[in-house]
């Protein structure tokens, strides 16, 4: 019983310190070895527990919560392959800068590599994909270890939360008995935060040099990628006005539609760019851009990158510089310096791009009514209008085709709509679960996904049933991997292509909906899609709208016809 | 085009060497970066490709194939989290000694850690859970690199296939264009095997010493754990006869029922062991035993362990010795040495245990007709009889309750039935997919699983639809985690227990069956179970028999009543 008392004190200190440091949600996967931690999290009383059975799905659920809240979420598994199932979400969290605190229960050290059941090597299990790892001691009751547990909790929250945000991993070995006392230790009231961070400010001399160097460029663009960009909008507009360089904003920047000076049509008009001028400089804020057409167009430009999350993201190996620091502060510093410079801007450059933008906006408007059915762009074009009745709303888009079609066809969305995607590793796994995590933190969520990503993560639907989440899923079912039809692989022999890339599965998803008691509607035409969307969007609970578009090759033809005008 | 030619030569050499080294199956997950390898495997012509979309499921599918064939199976993914989804099966394969050759396509080195899409850190992605890793070069066309590719293929097969078997990982970066030529290079006809292994024989002097030491023990047991035990059966029986020590055989040893001298009832009669003698020595062959009752009973015995797979599996920290070498050869050496020893055996010891065995067999016979319905043991008791019409057949059992109930209640199975389980890390993940892999290699397979494991791996059902696999699944649905009701956690407050451990989900699986076009039957009584089993067992394709037993607490009471007589 003394051991149970010791473990209770130790874990009380740990979970109380998590809460004191700002953790308010924990996703718990059932297991035996993890019992002491599961009970401690549950009994802490102020941390909201979610219990989900598939660890892969649970991890993406936690990722969704942390993604939209910006706050670290705790994720717990028992020992063995349970912990290994977290791997895909951990990798995504690492590259997408999402703060997660991963707790894995483990067998005690004396059972490792001995043939004991559910005993694997959990030390540094996630390798280079976590920011920090600790193999926790088994407490012997020393008060110093209770303090260690509290300090480690605070450090874990701190490391997960400093830029770039990311996952940390604490491995907790436990010996039997795997129980704790009913009464937890009360909070130890250690002052938080444990670590008092220094403040990093933009480097005044080096930023001045960067701004000086801008004078060499005449044909520049301001690119705004994924990230929390809205707080920096004012400064971005000010920069654009000063330089007379246009703003190209990614759909995941969530600033499209907030100001008429923001251009979102570039992915469409850059597909056919024989007559376009050379870009000699770009200034990019946030993550790399989604649009491959834009990235190809600017790949030889000088690049000034303000990452905003203190990571290094510049895959094009362009000449240029990466500026660290808070996005808004760097912008302020640049803008202030620009006021002091004699920068001769050319409004014709700016006007040229705005005209391109307006032409393309008009062409999208004109083209939409004429699209041969079923055309996937139809959905993205109407999204803003169709979602208005339920705004404010968060929309998660899957990788592969949805995020690309969103980029091309969703222009001027309302401020009350926010778009999200998993762009750390751009996988098509965990898509439904991530959406469920978003819905758990916000009042509702909408997901747009293809059929492969839907199939990959069908287990994620369970969370909606269990926690009565309000989620509308639009699954665009073209019976396979639509994006491959856009790639050089599509020129392979038809049978070989379909076997390895198209991978038709013949699945429809009504039974997936019924398995979890979801509202389900099937649409095949634009009219059916519109009506089903309208019917489902205002309902509560889990709703699945399956839009059977089929015709992957026809989808490609339609896109090319559009791009080529 | 020259680059495409170079890659074609390089990968031709690689896949031809895989085939020449004995690889005949490849599981391919669709992706773009992996295109050159997918095409090379497909076009090699003699390797059978399977294409599955969920990498977690695909990896367990490959594991099932390799588990029953004993031969390395190739598993391919594209870059990014796709590769991370292999992690659970890789971990299981490592600890269960299953040979897998994992190929991951990667972005080229110059794009790593640069913010490029689908680019993670794949170097040593699986950490300590693979036996060998190579970060492959990008070919520049040198013939030496073609030889390197062939040699690496042969070494990969070799390392995966030497004891203990296990997974190896080759990471292949590719630059665009991601295609190969239509015509592959013909086989290079390098002599195989590349590595000519030495032969390890049992150590004669040290084995003599071990056999000498046996003379100090009077009350010994021979334990036979999971593994390929049938080839060693004759020698195991000979050892038992010489020592007059009884043979306790695990259900996963697949020797139960092959000889009347083999005891399989110990898990039942050791639950209530107040009157049983102390065991002073055990000789164990193969993996640790499934039965916790047996492991507790023998935990202070001297242990001589013949692992048979050159791994070290002795989690009980018993005094004793671990003998390396081929199972049969070690047994022959021990038996030969025993012939030379004057070993005074006591037939009363042997008779005592055979009597226990026969008493328990009789009690199981007598108890079964009187069980209050629905009783989960009913299925395991009748399994042999019910499967006879379709034998020979391979039966996969899930971890948690199924393997334990199999241990207790399935006695004297027919030789034509073989049992398998994932006992490397004992997870409840990948259970359906592993079964599908078994069915792909054999003509059919049967799975017995609980509802949580079924839910966890529903995506695995797709393989049966796609490849017309003949699989019968019996899912015992007690609406949650049945095993926790047997653990100390069950004494927690009811609501807390159900929230964290029982985790009722309210799912039934008819719609999961319909999603994949499976035959489905629901049973609630013993009679319904028996009739549904009989109806489904002779059909082809995917069949799902859902047995709703409910009453997790009642199941525990029933087990304890049985154990206590």
């Amino acid at each position: 019983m003394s051991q149970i008392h010791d473990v209770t004190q130790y874990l009380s200190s740990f979970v109380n310190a998590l809460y004191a440091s700002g953790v308010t949600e924990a996703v718990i996967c059932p297991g035996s070895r993890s019992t002491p931690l599961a009970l401690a999290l549950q009994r802490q009383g102020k941390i909201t527990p979610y219990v989900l059975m598939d660890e892969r799905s649970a991890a993406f659920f936690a990722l969704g919560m942390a993604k939209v809240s910006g706050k670290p979420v705790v994720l717990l598994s028992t020992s063995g392959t349970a912990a290994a199932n977290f791997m895909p979400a951990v990798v995504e969290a690492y590259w997408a800068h999402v703060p997660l605190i991963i707790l894995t229960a483990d067998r005690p050290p004396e059972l490792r590599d001995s043939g004991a059941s559910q005993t694997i090597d959990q030390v540094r299990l996630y390798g280079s994909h976590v920011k920090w790892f600790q193999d926790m001691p088994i407490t012997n009751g020393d008060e110093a270890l209770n303090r260690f547990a509290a300090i480690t909790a605070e450090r874990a929250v701190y490391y997960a939360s400093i830029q770039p945000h990311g996952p940390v991993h604490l491995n907790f070995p436990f010996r039997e008995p795997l129980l704790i006392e009913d009464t937890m230790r009360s909070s130890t009231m250690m002052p938080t935060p444990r670590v008092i961070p220094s403040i990093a400010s933009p480097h005044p001399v080096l930023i001045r040099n960067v701004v000086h160097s801008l004078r060499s460029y005449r044909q520049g663009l301001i690119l705004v990628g994924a990230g929390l960009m809205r707080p920096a909008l004012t400064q971005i507009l000010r920069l654009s006005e000063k330089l007379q360089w246009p703003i190209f904003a990614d759909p995941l920047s969530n600033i499209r539609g907030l100001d008429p000076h923001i251009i979102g049509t570039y992915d469409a008009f850059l597909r056919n760019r024989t007559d376009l001028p050379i870009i000699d400089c770009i200034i990019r804020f946030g993550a790399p851009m989604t649009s491959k057409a834009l990235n190809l167009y600017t790949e030889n430009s000088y690049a000034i990158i303000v990452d905003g999350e203190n990571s290094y993201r510049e895959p094009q190996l362009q000449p240029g510089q990466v500026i660290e620091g808070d996005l808004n502060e760097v912008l302020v510093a640049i803008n202030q310096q620009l006021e002091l410079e004699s920068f001769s801007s050319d409004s014709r450059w700016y006007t040229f791009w705005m005209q391109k933008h307006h032409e393309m906006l008009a062409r999208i408007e004109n083209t939409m009514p004429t699209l041969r059915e079923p055309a996937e762009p139809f959905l993205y074009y109407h999204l803003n209008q169709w979602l208005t009745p339920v705004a404010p709303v968060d929309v998660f888009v899957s990788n592969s085709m949805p995020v690309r079609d969103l980029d091309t066809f969703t222009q001027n969305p309302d401020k009350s709509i926010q778009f999200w995607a998993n762009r750390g590793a751009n996988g098509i796994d965990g898509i439904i679960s991530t959406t469920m995590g978003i819905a758990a933190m916000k009042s509702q969520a909408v997901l747009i996904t293809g059929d492969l990503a839907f199939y990959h993560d069908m287990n994620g639907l369970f969370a909606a049933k269990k926690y009565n989440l309000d989620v509308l899923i639009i699954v665009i079912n073209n019976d396979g991997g639509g994006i491959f039809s856009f790639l050089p692989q599509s020129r392979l022999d038809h049978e070989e292509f379909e076997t390895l890339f198209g991978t038709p599965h013949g699945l429809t998803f009504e039974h997936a909906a019924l398995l979890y008691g979801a509202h389900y509607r099937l649409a095949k035409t634009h009219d059916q899609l519109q009506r089903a969307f309208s019917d489902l969007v205002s309902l509560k609970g889990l709703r699945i709208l399956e839009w059977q578009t089929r015709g992957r090759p026809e989808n490609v033809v339609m896109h090319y016809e559009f791009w080529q005008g």
Side-chain angles (χ1 to χ4, degrees), chain A:
Chain A
M1 288 311 286
S2 163
Q3 184 191 321
I4 291 182
H5 177 74
D6 293 346
V7 171
T8 308
Q9 299 298 301
Y10 180 66
L11 294 184
S12 298
S13 303
F14 179 72
V15 297
N16 285 332
L18 284 177
Y19 178 72
S21 306
V23 169
T24 50
E25 277 79 24
V27 180
I28 297 172
C29 301
S32 180
R33 189 61 48 171
S34 54
T35 299
L37 265 170
L39 289 172
L41 287 165
Q42 171 87 2
R43 292 178 184 172
Q44 195 279 335
K46 290 171 184 156
I47 295 175
T48 306
Y50 292 82
V51 181
L52 294 171
M53 303 171 298
D54 178 347
E55 293 83 6
R56 178 174 70 173
S57 170
F60 278 105
F61 184 86
L63 179 132
M65 296 176 105
K67 177 185 281 284
V68 292
S69 70
K71 286 195 322 177
V73 171
V74 162
L75 178 62
L76 169 65
S77 86
T78 193
S79 67
T81 50
N85 277 276
F86 285 168
M87 190 77 174
V90 170
V91 170
E92 171 61 23
Y94 183 78
W95 296 108
H97 309 157
V98 178
L100 292 179
I101 296 172
I102 297 145
L103 312 178
T104 54
D106 198 358
R107 301 272 160 149
E110 64 271 21
L111 289 183
R112 292 178 187 168
D113 190 20
S114 73
S117 66
Q118 288 175 302
T119 309
I120 69 171
D121 182 6
Q122 296 179 195
V123 174
R124 301 189 186 281
L125 180 65
Y126 308 111
S128 54
H129 291 105
V130 289
K131 292 179 68 183
W132 192 53
F133 170 78
Q134 279 278 353
D135 199 22
M136 299 295 284
I138 294 180
T139 182
N140 62 358
D142 279 0
E143 186 56 29
L145 290 184
N146 298 334
R147 292 202 305 275
F148 173 78
I151 290 168
T152 304
E154 297 189 27
R155 292 178 69 193
V157 173
Y158 177 67
Y159 297 138
S161 308
I162 51 170
Q163 293 285 12
H165 296 178
V168 299
H169 174 206
L170 308 178
N171 188 54
F172 278 86
F174 293 110
R175 296 197 185 97
E176 296 181 19
L178 301 170
L179 290 171
I180 63 170
E181 294 170 333
D182 290 344
T183 309
M184 303 269 289
R185 182 192 186 116
S186 59
S187 182
T188 43
M189 288 299 166
M190 295 173 83
T192 57
R194 177 81 187 177
V195 182
I196 298 176
S198 57
I199 295 180
S201 298
H203 195 299
V205 177
L206 296 180
I207 290 215
R208 193 181 63 202
N209 293 349
V210 168
V211 174
H212 275 306
S213 74
L214 284 178
R215 283 188 295 196
S216 339
Y217 304 108
R218 284 291 167 274
Q219 308 198 150
L221 299 176
I222 296 169
L223 310 183
V224 187
L228 291 173
M229 295 292 144
R230 288 187 178 182
L233 178 60
T234 307
Q235 294 296 328
I236 292 170
L237 290 167
R238 191 174 148 204
L239 176 68
S240 167
E241 193 180 352
K242 179 72 185 167
L243 297 175
Q244 288 291 304
W245 291 3
I247 301 167
F248 286 12
D250 196 272
L252 302 174
S253 71
N254 285 310
I255 65 166
R256 278 191 189 175
L258 298 196
D259 189 282
H261 297 92
I262 294 169
I263 294 177
T265 51
Y266 53 87
D267 183 69
F269 64 63
L270 291 174
R271 297 280 177 160
N272 194 9
R273 58 181 163 85
T274 45
D275 60 338
L276 291 183
I278 285 170
I279 302 302
D280 58 15
C281 182
I282 61 153
I283 305 176
R284 197 193 78 214
F285 300 97
M289 307 298 282
T290 301
S291 167
K292 191 165 183 177
L294 175 60
N295 291 330
L296 285 171
Y297 180 49
T298 59
E299 68 184 346
N300 296 315
S301 320
Y302 190 84
I304 295 164
I305 291 168
V306 187
D307 181 86
E309 299 178 8
N310 271 12
S311 67
Y312 188 101
R313 291 181 285 186
E314 196 286 289
Q316 307 215 110
L317 311 176
Q318 291 171 260
Q321 295 180 288
V322 175
I323 304 177
E324 298 211 328
D326 175 79
L327 198 64
N328 207 46
E329 288 181 29
V330 171
L331 269 159
V332 167
I334 291 175
N335 284 333
Q336 283 174 346
Q337 186 61 39
L338 270 175
E339 299 292 336
L340 307 174
E341 303 280 327
S342 56
F343 192 89
S344 62
S345 59
D346 181 349
S347 66
R348 286 171 307 176
W349 176 251
Y350 185 83
T351 311
F352 170 82
W353 291 106
M354 287 307 292
Q355 191 180 328
K356 278 269 164 209
H357 177 50
H358 288 124
E359 283 168 13
M360 183 51 72
L361 282 177
R363 191 145 72 80
I364 293 176
E365 289 290 335
N366 296 334
T367 309
M368 283 301 138
T370 70
L371 290 177
R372 283 193 304 279
E373 298 207 14
E376 297 181 11
F378 185 79
L379 169 67
Y380 300 92
Y381 171 73
H382 287 99
L383 204 52
N384 185 42
Q385 176 195 342
W386 294 356
L387 285 172
T388 305
V390 291
V393 62
D394 293 86
V395 180
F396 192 79
V397 287
S398 180
N399 287 310
S400 202
M401 285 310 293
V403 71
R404 288 176 171 80
D405 276 337
L406 183 81
D407 196 0
T408 312
F409 299 105
T410 304
Q411 301 295 333
N412 299 319
D414 193 80
K415 186 179 178 175
S416 61
I417 303 174
Q418 288 215 70
F419 295 101
W420 305 90
N422 280 344
R423 298 300 282 175
N426 308 74
I428 61 158
D429 47 345
I431 296 297
I432 292 174
S433 300
T434 307
T435 309
M436 296 301 166
I438 293 172
M441 291 303 272
K442 306 282 198 127
S443 61
Q444 61 175 339
V446 171
L447 167 63
I448 302 174
T449 178
D451 48 286
L452 290 189
F454 184 90
Y455 160 76
H456 209 291
D457 192 26
M458 278 191 290
N459 275 6
L461 298 171
F462 175 69
K465 168 174 152 50
K466 179 159 182 177
Y467 292 107
N468 298 312
L469 302 176
D470 293 327
V471 175
L472 169 62
I473 298 176
I474 296 102
V475 49
I476 300 169
N477 188 350
N478 54 26
D479 196 21
I483 199 167
F484 295 112
S485 300
F486 288 83
L487 302 179
Q489 287 89 327
S490 62
R491 295 194 293 272
L492 294 167
D493 165 75
H494 178 74
E495 188 181 323
E496 191 170 57
F497 174 78
E498 286 293 297
T499 300
L500 293 177
F501 303 100
T503 59
H505 46 71
L507 297 175
T508 61
F509 299 115
E510 180 170 12
H511 290 295
L514 293 171
L515 179 59
Y516 298 103
H519 298 281
Y520 172 82
R521 293 287 294 274
L522 175 66
K524 297 189 178 185
T525 66
H526 288 185
D527 199 46
Q528 288 169 356
L529 174 72
Q530 185 159 3
R531 273 186 288 129
F533 198 108
S534 168
D535 291 350
L536 292 177
V537 75
S538 307
L539 297 180
K540 294 291 177 186
L542 178 61
R543 293 143 283 159
I544 298 174
L545 197 178
E546 177 171 355
W547 184 25
Q548 289 181 359
T549 59
R550 309 288 166 174
R552 287 180 262 115
E554 293 82 348
N555 187 43
V556 175
V557 171
M558 194 276 302
H559 275 78
Y560 275 100
E561 282 175 2
F562 173 77
W563 289 325
Q564 280 152 20

